[in-house]
Amino acid sequence: GAVVSQHPSRVICKSGTSVKIECRSLDFQATTMFWYRQFPKQSLMLMATSNEGSKATYEQGVEKDKFLINHASLTLSTLTVTSAHPEDSSFYICSAKKGLAGGYEQYFGPGTRLTVT
Amino acid sequence: AQTVTQSQPEMSVQEAETVTLSCTYDTSESDYYLFWYKQPPSRQMILVIRQEAYKQQNATENRFSVNFQKAAKSFSLKISDSQLGDAAMYFCAYRSPSGTASKLTFGTGTRLQVTL
C-alpha cells in the first residue's frame, strides 16, 4: 500500500502563534510532497510543491515566509504556519508521490483542520 | 494554464441506479493524465479512477467507468449500481505529463447524494 499520515488531525491555536503540521509517508519514500489548502465546500488549492533536500516551490499568491515548508527526509515534510491569523483557518491536506519514477499517482493524507482563534 | 470545470455542483441518485458526473478541461498539451477523486465526509481523498490521454480505451474500475472524449476535452464519470457509500464530493483532476512535478489541477467538485 501507500499510506500517508498527517499530524495533528485537528489543531487550535491563538492568533499570532505558529503551528506545525507534519506529513509522513509511512510505507514508501516520497521525493515529492504537495501541500493543499481547502476552504469549506471548495476545491483543493495547491500551495506548494516540496522536494526532498531542496527548497519548496510555492504557487502564485502563497506567502512563502508565512507558510514554511521543510522536506528534510524522504518520508517527512512539514508545513509551519507562522504568525497565524483567523483567515489562515482552513483544512490543510498533504500528498506524496512515490520516488522519482514512481508514476503519476499522488497519495493523500487525511488532512489537518486548523482553527486560529 | 490548464483549467478543469465541473458544471454540476450537486447531483442526486437513487440507490442501485446509475449517475454520470461531468468534467471538462482546457489544455494545449497532447499528453496528460486525468483523475477522479472521491472525498467522503472524513475528508480523506480517495483515487477512484485514472485515465492516460494517450489511451483511447476508457478506464474502468468495477462500478466506476469514464467516458473520455479527447477531442471534446471531456472526462465524465459513470457510477453504476450506486451505493450509499458512494455519497461524497467528487473532484475531477488534470495532471501534465512532465516538467510540473506531478501538479494536480482540481475542478470545483460535485457533491453526490445517494437516496434510498
Side-chain angles (χ1 to χ4, degrees):
Chain A
V3 181
V4 176
S5 70
Q6 280 184 244
H7 178 79
S9 57
R10 290 175 177 265
V11 59
I12 301 172
C13 71
K14 291 188 176 181
S15 187
T17 63
S18 295
V19 61
K20 180 185 288 187
I21 302 170
E22 292 185 349
C23 177
R24 293 182 184 273
S25 55
L26 298 185
D27 51 2
F28 66 97
Q29 293 185 331
T31 55
T32 304
M33 289 184 171
F34 304 86
W35 287 96
Y36 296 86
R37 184 173 181 175
Q38 186 179 30
F39 289 106
K41 298 184 179 181
Q42 293 190 24
S43 187
L44 280 72
M45 181 193 79
L46 180 65
M47 299 175 66
T49 301
S50 167
N51 292 297
E52 187 266 338
S54 64
K55 290 185 179 180
T57 302
Y58 290 82
E59 295 299 301
Q60 192 173 8
V62 178
E63 298 176 62
K64 62 180 180 181
D65 293 332
K66 180 169 186 60
F67 298 99
L68 300 179
I69 293 172
N70 186 344
H71 194 160
S73 78
L74 286 172
T75 59
L76 173 64
S77 177
T78 60
L79 168 68
T80 301
V81 183
T82 63
S83 186
H85 290 284
E87 56 265 30
D88 298 325
S89 298
S90 189
F91 194 68
Y92 293 88
I93 303 174
C94 74
S95 70
K97 176 176 169 291
K98 280 184 178 180
L100 287 173
Y104 40 74
E105 187 167 340
Q106 291 185 26
Y107 300 91
F108 286 83
T112 296
R113 182 177 301 282
L114 170 63
T115 303
V116 184
T117 61
Chain B
Q2 292 78 25
T3 58
V4 179
T5 302
Q6 293 179 249
S7 59
Q8 306 155 315
E10 290 190 10
M11 292 284 285
S12 183
V13 63
Q14 281 192 320
E15 198 177 16
E17 296 297 309
T18 296
V19 65
T20 299
L21 308 184
S22 301
C23 173
T24 58
Y25 57 95
D26 187 27
T27 183
S28 58
E29 297 174 319
S30 59
D31 193 20
Y32 46 86
Y33 304 101
L34 296 166
F35 306 84
W36 277 98
Y37 282 91
K38 171 184 177 181
Q39 188 180 42
S42 68
R43 307 292 291 271
Q44 173 73 59
M45 295 288 284
I46 301 166
L47 177 65
V48 175
I49 199 165
R50 59 175 171 255
Q51 173 82 44
E52 294 89 342
Y54 64 86
K55 290 186 178 179
Q56 291 187 332
Q57 188 172 7
N58 289 323
T60 299
E61 287 288 341
N62 300 314
R63 297 183 295 108
F64 300 88
S65 62
V66 298
N67 184 1
F68 173 48
Q69 301 290 328
K70 191 172 184 179
K73 297 180 182 175
S74 171
F75 182 61
S76 61
L77 174 69
K78 185 171 83 171
I79 306 175
S80 304
D81 186 25
S82 296
Q83 301 175 359
L84 293 177
D86 295 334
M89 280 290 289
Y90 286 82
F91 293 100
C92 178
Y94 174 102
R95 178 191 174 273
S96 294
S98 62
T100 52
S102 307
K103 280 174 52 173
L104 287 171
T105 301
F106 286 92
T108 50
T110 297
R111 181 172 299 280
L112 178 66
Q113 289 184 320
V114 181
T115 59
L116 293 172

